[in-house]
Amino acid sequence: MNSSQDTLFATPFTQVSDFQFDNKVVGVFNDMIRRSVPGYGQIINSIGDLADKFVTKNSHVYDLGCSLGAATLSVRRRLQDRECHIIAVDNSQAMIARCQENLTSYVSDTPVDLICGDIRDIQIHNASLVILNFTMQFLAPDDRDNLIKKIYDGLNPGGLLILSEKLYFEHTAIQSALDELHLDFKRANGYSELEISQKRSSLENVMKPDTLPQHEYRLKKQGFENFNTWFQCFNFASMIAIK
Ligand SMILES: C[S@@+](CC[C@H](N)C(=O)[O-])C[C@H]1O[C@@H](n2cnc3c(N)ncnc32)[C@H](O)[C@@H]1O
Ligand SMILES: O=C(O)C(=O)C[C@]1(C(=O)O)C=C[C@@H](O)C=C1
């Protein structure tokens, strides 16, 4: 997936505006997410491995907040002859346009319905896999319960939800230690203090991470009895929940 280097926050702004998944972000997104989210590449690969284990014949796979289609492509590579259908959704028109180009670059017999829309309005049914890879954190906290309930209801028995999120920690010293390790990861990937602090301000109002106990409580409350974290690096985690 080609991408320019992310320098969006490298020059000083008089006022930092709220983060948006617009054309400018789309152009650098692949570089941005790989240099910002520890373990992103491994998570994308493992989503393909999990798809291989959980996706059943003639079922649906949902990639909610698909961005450029990284998770969809990873899944699709593993699903030959499964006769299933992938539904990939994002509410950024710019992301969807670039995602379409990425999907058409690879041949596959698994059809993908690419939908520009809000994941809160999408119906889910006959699903063997639902992916929320760093998407739910951008929803208003009050909308998260309904989304998880809708996913639970739309999954077939034995179906899998993959939920990757940035985490917040209640304990002040733990929060600050893991946050600092994340910042060191960004520094090691070439981001300056200015880039780090301007991006942080830009995300402040639009990305609200939950704690791990909040995720566990929500998943259980909405019906998922089987839940575990399968990946964590610093303050980023990916969870699986099975219906
Ligand atoms: C961090 S990115 C997700 C990365 C992507 N899943 C991946 O694996 O590369 C978050 C995405 O969610 C989308 N998004 C945020 N809120 C949304 C909503 N309510 N409905 C649909 N898409 C949404 C954004 O446009 C953005 O593309
Ligand atoms: O927390 C940060 O600093 C991030 O950059 C995280 C994050 C994410 O988790 O989605 C935020 C926005 C971009 O989509 C890429 C990464």
Side-chain angles (χ1 to χ4, degrees), residues 19 21 25 29 32-37 67 95 133-135 137-138 165-166 179 182-183 186 191 196 199-200 203 207 209 235-236:
F19 191 88
F21 292 96
V25 167
F29 187 72
M32 170 188 273
I33 196 154
R34 284 173 193 278
R35 288 164 65 213
S36 304
V37 176
S67 297
M95 281 290 186
N133 203 35
F134 302 107
T135 301
Q137 61 200 12
F138 291 102
E165 292 269 295
K166 187 174 187 182
D179 188 46
H182 175 224
L183 298 188
K186 287 191 164 189
Y191 283 121
I196 290 171
K199 186 170 184 211
R200 168 159 289 201
L203 283 168
M207 192 176 88
N235 45 357
F236 288 82

Side-chain angles (χ1 to χ4, degrees), residues 21 29 33 40 44 47 63-72 89-92 95 117-120 131-139:
F21 292 96
F29 187 72
I33 196 154
Y40 175 78
I44 289 294
I47 287 174
D63 182 5
L64 303 179
C66 60
S67 297
L68 301 179
T72 286
V89 185
D90 205 288
N91 65 355
S92 158
M95 281 290 186
D118 196 304
I119 58 172
R120 290 166 295 192
I131 302 158
L132 275 170
N133 203 35
F134 302 107
T135 301
M136 193 172 76
Q137 61 200 12
F138 291 102
L139 251 52

Side-chain angles (χ1 to χ4, degrees), residues 153-172:
D153 289 345
L155 274 171
N156 296 331
L160 180 74
L161 165 65
I162 303 174
L163 174 63
S164 312
E165 292 269 295
K166 187 174 187 182
L167 297 176
Y168 175 75
F169 301 87
E170 284 291 354
H171 192 280
T172 315

Side-chain angles (χ1 to χ4, degrees), residues 106-135:
Y106 298 92
V107 182
S108 163
D109 59 6
T110 305
V112 180
D113 286 348
L114 195 53
I115 299 174
C116 185
D118 196 304
I119 58 172
R120 290 166 295 192
D121 302 330
I122 296 294
Q123 287 188 14
I124 295 179
H125 62 101
N126 183 27
S128 57
L129 172 64
V130 178
I131 302 158
L132 275 170
N133 203 35
F134 302 107
T135 301

